[in-house]
Structure formats: C-alpha cells, structure tokens
Amino acid sequence: MFERMKNIVIKIKQLRPLILNITNDVTMDFIANGLLSLGASPVMSKAEQEIKELVQLASVVVINLGTLDAKFIALCEHACSIANQLGKPIILDPVGAGASHYRTRTGLNLIDQYDIAIIKGNASEIMSIAGSTIITKGVDSTAQTDFAIESAQMLAIHYDATVVVSGKTDIIVDSNRIRQFTYGVPLMSQVTGTGCLLAAIIGSFHALEKNRFNACALAVSFYGICGERAASRAKGPASFKIQFLDELNLIPDALSYEKD
C-alpha cells in the first residue's frame, strides 16, 4: 500500500490535476494552499457563468457546504449537474449537517439528485445525512467515528457511493468493504479547515486512482501521516499549520508508514 500511495503522490506532482472547489469562505485559503503543497492545481469559483468551462477542465469537483445560502446552493446544484453530464466525479463534504435542518436537507438533496462518488464527513455529519437523530456541536462531531459505520453503510449502498467518516479513527466504507485507519493527531482538529482540506486531498488522489475506495484509503493514510510528522516539530496549532503544509509537499517515505 505504501508504494501505491507514494506513486500517486508522485503522479499528482507530475500531472497536477485540476481540482474544482465549490467551497466555503472560511477555509478556502487553506484548501488552496494545501492542494498546491501536494502538487495539485486548485481552482475556486462562485460564478455560475463559468462553472461549465471549469468543470470541463477539472479532474474532480469538490463540493463543501461550510457556508450556505440560496445562491451558493444553486451554484452547487449547477456544478453537480454539469459534472454528472461530463462524467466528472463529485466529492461532497456536508459540513455541519445535523447542526441545522437547512444544512442537513441541502446535503441530502444533493445526494438524492446527483451521482456523488464520495461523501466525506465526520461521524455526526454522516449520521445526520443518513437520517439519525443526533445532537451536533456546530461543525464538530459529537460522536465517535465507529458510531457512524451503520449510517455510512446505508449511504454507501443506497447511493452507490464511497463514504469516508473522518475523526480519531478514519473509516472508509462502500457497499461491501470497510477499512479503518488510525493515523493523525489531535492537533489536526485545532486548525480550522483540516477536514475541508481532507476532502480536496481525497479528490486529488481520486483524480489519479480511479478506484474510489482505494483512493480514499490512500488519501486518508497519507493525510494522517503528514499530520503526525508535522506535529512532531510543531509547538502548537499555528506552527502545526505551517509544518503540515510542508509535509503535504513531500514524497512519503516508508518509515512513516510503518504502522500499516
């Protein structure tokens, strides 16, 4: 698995896949810089007039529901429609699902109406989208990732999607497989946008690895290892953020992968 992960990172740097991000205002800068550090080419847009051209150029479309309003939702629907027409995979990050009916309904409507390849969320978000009644804490999860396995399986089977439940343990689920990974560090949750960037990194891996389950498994492993290496030199969240971007820029080495 390490060699496959390493080869994909190398290919990303060589081919620089364009990742179209329809994303939120809070973490847009971090997402763009994280993708650049990895070697991918990010583009963000809020203009419906250019979405068709950008989707044509992009390898993957990442939809992040972090900051919602009616205009943004219409933009997401337009981007999803074009992406489906052109056969471009969509990664959906239903940020804050469960915190409000508006957010939950928006995420669910997108999944119902469009072919979403990968759904990435924390445990509370995945459980809310799947219809569980759970009290969330804004965009933070109130549940452990393993509590969301049944919900993730339901979503994967019903919508023919791969589901990533991110957290202390990252869980990848599709209709007949489950894998769990324990890479990563608590500091990752103290920097806003690490979850948002993970969805974009998964998109970058999926641009080169067409098997979406494998792409998710390799991406979350790489991402968690980068977090561990960054934390070993960080003094706190601020320095961690800088070290983390540096780690995303490096080719992974076998020693970092010894837990697998």
Side-chain angles (χ1 to χ4, degrees):
M1 189 170 179
F2 165 73
E3 286 299 327
R4 292 164 62 199
M5 180 176 69
K6 178 181 176 181
N7 289 337
I8 289 178
V9 173
I10 292 172
K11 285 183 180 177
I12 290 172
K13 295 181 185 305
Q14 292 173 339
L15 300 176
R16 299 184 59 79
L18 183 68
I19 310 300
L20 173 59
N21 298 271
I22 310 298
T23 192
N24 73 70
D25 298 330
V26 179
T27 62
M28 190 181 294
D29 175 82
F30 188 54
I31 293 171
N33 281 305
L35 288 173
L36 284 172
S37 293
L38 176 63
S41 179
V43 62
M44 280 69 172
S45 179
K46 292 184 176 180
E48 186 172 328
Q49 296 87 339
E50 65 173 359
I51 288 300
K52 184 174 182 179
E53 293 169 272
L54 293 179
V55 174
Q56 288 174 329
L57 295 172
S59 298
V60 171
V61 177
V62 180
I63 304 288
N64 178 304
L65 304 181
T67 49
L68 287 182
D69 59 26
K71 185 177 179 181
F72 182 83
I73 293 171
L75 181 67
C76 292
E77 292 174 341
H78 183 58
C80 287
S81 177
I82 298 296
N84 280 177
Q85 291 173 29
L86 297 177
K88 301 295 178 76
I90 301 168
I91 319 299
L92 175 65
D93 189 348
V95 179
S100 71
H101 294 301
Y102 188 51
R103 288 174 180 270
T104 306
R105 188 169 61 250
T106 298
L108 192 54
N109 285 344
L110 291 176
I111 296 169
D112 275 335
Q113 293 181 60
Y114 305 103
D115 181 11
I116 306 294
I118 298 169
I119 305 166
K120 196 286 303 174
N122 63 37
S124 293
E125 291 162 351
I126 295 301
M127 293 169 72
S128 296
I129 290 293
S132 298
T133 302
I134 181 171
I135 299 173
T136 69
K137 194 175 181 181
V139 298
D140 295 326
S141 180
T142 57
Q144 298 176 198
T145 49
D146 57 340
F147 293 174
I149 289 177
E150 185 175 343
S151 296
Q153 288 176 313
M154 187 279 286
L155 291 172
I157 293 170
H158 188 75
Y159 295 103
D160 187 25
T162 298
V163 179
V164 178
V165 188
S166 61
K168 184 177 181 181
T169 299
D170 295 313
I171 301 176
I172 319 296
V173 177
D174 71 8
S175 59
N176 53 23
R177 288 180 291 181
I178 297 177
R179 286 203 67 177
Q180 301 189 24
F181 301 93
T182 57
Y183 298 109
V185 290
L187 264 177
M188 297 175 80
S189 64
Q190 295 182 42
V191 176
T192 187
T194 52
C196 301
L197 177 55
L198 173 58
I201 296 294
I202 289 171
S204 302
F205 273 65
H206 191 34
L208 276 301
E209 170 55 67
K210 299 309 176 188
N211 182 304
R212 63 194 186 204
F213 185 92
N214 292 340
C216 292
L218 294 168
V220 301
S221 300
F222 170 75
Y223 201 71
I225 290 169
C226 287
E228 291 178 1
R229 289 174 61 88
S232 69
R233 292 190 297 279
K235 296 179 180 178
S239 56
F240 172 80
K241 184 176 181 178
I242 301 300
Q243 296 288 347
F244 187 58
L245 290 175
D246 284 345
E247 289 297 331
L248 289 172
N249 187 245
L250 300 177
I251 304 295
D253 64 83
L255 285 178
S256 301
Y257 207 64
E258 58 189 9
K259 287 169 65 174
D260 186 63

